[in-house]
Amino acid sequence: MKLREYVPDRDRGAVLRIYREVGWCSKPEHEEAFAGLVASGRTRVAEVDGSAECMVTTDPGSIRHGERDLSLAAVTGVTTSRVARKRGLAGRLTAHVLAEEAAGGSLVAMLGAFEQGYYNQLGFGNGGYEHWCTFDPSQLTVDVKPRVPVRLGLSDWKRMHANRLQRVRRHGACNIDSPELTRADMHWGENGFGLGYTDQDGNLTHHLWCSAKEAEHGPYSVFWTAYRSKDEFLELLGLLRSFEEQVRSVELREPPGIQLQDLLRKPFKSRQITRRSPHENRMTASAYWQMRILDLPGCLARTSLDAEPVRFNLTLSDPVERYLEDGSSWRGVAGDYVVEVGPACHAAAKREPSLPTLTASVNAFSRLWLGVRPASALAWTDELSGSVELLARLDRAFRLPSPSPDWEF
């Protein structure tokens, strides 16, 4: 097995075969999505018998913690061919990629998990729940008459990406740098279309991108929305409501900080009436994304909490090391630290016997740092332990909004 950079002329056929084997490339437009994906960031492969049989793609970006942005390595794809399963390729190649991203200055890594447990072996911990709401657009209570929008198509990917970068961002929100990833995402859905609004200079101010398996009546699935203000958000909802005469249902991921049930008329009645129908109104939740800290001192140096300072020893474990090659300069973040969290946060590789001690995996501590769950809850369900007093103080320190990436990858 050889780990190396993807070489387009040499590897394109092999990695497309991997995508077909895992079911990610079943239509011609999916090849366009693949082309955008590999063009947007970096791709590495694991070679077996002279052929690429495993690949990992990453994109540079940022993640917001409170009011600050930290450098992010977004792991946008991990795939292994049928002939190379259960050989440790994906784990070793992903660990190799994490080491490269950490060495390049990324402070945090994030990915979408196909199942809980696998990426935990590499130090990733569960993110927060995301909610998807399916509703009849006629049930929206938004009293906004939208203006006539502009149509947006596949050729507008750069404009849409620029607008996404300008959207309202709350705690945990991610931005991906390359517009090529937006172009790739536009090719995954069926019958994709966009609608939006521009300023006097023709720049997009707010928009949405949808797909429709059944274009006449739906369901319509909103892949993303981008808006910069309350009025723009409400106008997009008014635009969705304008579909009400023909479209029976719309699926929308609940925007960060918004409770969509506030804006629906009789949601419980609608769920009961539509139960088990193709247009069932429902709310579902899934913690499908995971993240991990790549540089503990770097992350804490860019963290500020509205809380009394808490100083403690941290004994941190990191399972990624067993997947790394002996020559890797980055070995994960395991070790003993003295940590202080509060308005100014920092971590130093040392230990002070007089301080209380928190013992944690990087998986659990990453979840605490991002505010996914409080310390006292993680002590019940994850690899994190400390005195009752220390856990209570950390609960008060990490009172953060629920994090949401607001960008699928």
Side-chain angles (χ1 to χ4, degrees):
M1 180 173 60
K2 180 180 179 181
L3 310 181
R4 59 172 175 80
E5 292 285 332
Y6 168 75
V7 180
D9 292 342
R10 174 182 176 183
D11 299 320
R12 187 176 188 276
V15 296
L16 269 176
R17 180 177 60 205
I18 297 173
Y19 263 56
R20 293 189 183 102
E21 290 181 351
V22 301
W24 290 4
C25 191
S26 57
K27 299 179 180 180
E29 55 266 33
H30 293 168
E31 290 196 22
E32 293 295 326
F34 167 82
L37 179 66
V38 296
S40 66
R42 291 185 64 190
T43 301
R44 293 80 150 185
V45 299
E47 181 183 304
V48 179
D49 295 333
S51 175
E53 299 291 355
C54 178
M55 66 179 291
V56 175
T57 53
T58 60
D59 271 85
S62 62
I63 180 171
R64 179 152 293 184
H65 193 288
E67 299 298 323
R68 300 184 182 182
D69 286 337
L70 285 72
S71 56
L72 171 72
V75 182
T76 54
V78 179
T79 49
T80 306
S81 73
R82 290 173 180 160
V83 302
R85 299 290 175 89
K86 308 300 278 188
R87 299 179 184 275
L89 269 69
R92 285 184 57 189
L93 183 57
T94 304
H96 173 77
V97 167
L98 292 177
E100 288 188 337
E101 295 293 345
S106 295
L107 300 176
V108 182
M110 184 179 288
L111 49 73
F114 68 92
E115 183 56 274
Q116 182 173 312
Y118 182 83
Y119 294 108
N120 296 66
Q121 303 172 87
L122 298 169
F124 288 88
N126 287 347
Y129 285 112
E130 301 289 330
H131 297 97
W132 284 265
C133 185
T134 303
F135 56 89
D136 181 341
S138 69
Q139 300 305 303
L140 282 168
T141 61
V142 177
D143 187 21
V144 173
K145 185 175 182 179
R147 295 167 294 157
V148 176
V150 297
R151 289 188 179 90
L152 300 169
L154 296 175
S155 63
D156 295 300
W157 52 282
K158 289 184 179 179
R159 299 171 68 199
M160 285 190 278
H161 185 81
N163 189 202
R164 296 179 80 185
L165 296 180
Q166 296 168 351
R167 76 196 188 284
V168 170
R169 294 178 67 206
R170 294 185 167 87
H171 177 68
C174 297
N175 270 350
I176 304 301
D177 294 343
S178 174
E180 293 283 355
L181 194 62
T182 290
R183 180 169 74 92
D185 288 343
M186 293 166 66
H187 286 279
W188 290 120
E190 297 182 56
N191 302 312
F193 68 94
L195 298 171
Y197 298 92
T198 63
D199 60 20
Q200 294 180 346
D201 297 323
N203 299 312
L204 275 179
T205 56
H206 50 303
H207 78 279
L208 53 81
W209 181 259
C210 295
S211 72
K213 287 185 178 181
E214 205 275 280
E216 184 177 4
H217 299 301
Y220 281 12
S221 294
V222 181
F223 272 34
W224 66 73
T225 58
Y227 49 86
R228 305 168 305 170
S229 67
K230 170 188 173 182
D231 289 343
E232 292 179 356
F233 168 67
L234 293 177
E235 186 165 37
L236 291 180
L237 289 187
L239 191 58
L240 290 177
R241 184 178 177 178
S242 72
F243 300 159
E244 64 182 339
E245 300 297 339
Q246 178 179 336
V247 177
R248 305 303 181 223
S249 61
V250 171
E251 181 187 46
L252 174 66
R253 184 172 57 183
E254 193 168 61
I258 301 296
Q259 195 165 7
L260 278 176
Q261 187 169 303
D262 293 343
L263 303 173
L264 294 174
R265 183 182 298 107
K266 297 183 178 180
F268 301 123
K269 180 179 181 179
S270 296
R271 291 173 192 175
Q272 291 170 344
I273 291 173
T274 60
R275 187 168 178 250
R276 296 181 181 175
S277 82
H279 299 282
E280 181 176 3
N281 287 203
R282 61 188 181 273
M283 179 71 81
T284 60
S286 176
Y288 75 93
W289 56 273
Q290 294 187 311
M291 54 79 62
R292 62 155 292 153
I293 289 171
L294 297 177
D295 178 345
L296 180 65
C299 283
L300 289 179
R302 292 161 180 81
T303 300
S304 180
L305 304 173
D306 185 15
E308 291 294 323
V310 183
R311 188 175 171 85
F312 57 96
N313 292 312
L314 173 63
T315 298
L316 199 62
S317 61
D318 191 339
V320 76
E321 186 171 3
R322 66 191 181 98
Y323 287 92
L324 293 168
E325 296 176 318
D326 292 339
S328 175
S329 59
W330 182 79
R331 308 299 301 174
V333 296
D336 289 319
Y337 300 86
V338 171
V339 172
E340 181 172 317
V341 297
C345 302
H346 56 81
K350 59 181 181 178
R351 188 174 182 84
E352 294 183 10
S354 61
L355 294 175
T357 297
L358 183 74
T359 301
S361 65
V362 66
N363 319 54
F365 191 82
S366 297
R367 299 175 75 195
L368 172 64
W369 169 75
L370 196 59
V372 175
R373 286 294 180 268
S376 58
L378 291 168
W380 285 25
T381 63
D382 210 331
E383 297 174 307
L384 184 144
S385 61
S387 68
V388 173
E389 293 79 9
L390 177 58
L391 295 176
R393 294 181 69 193
L394 291 173
D395 283 354
R396 291 191 292 271
F398 286 96
R399 286 180 175 173
L400 295 166
S402 179
S404 176
D406 195 31
W407 197 306
E408 286 201 43
F409 49 82

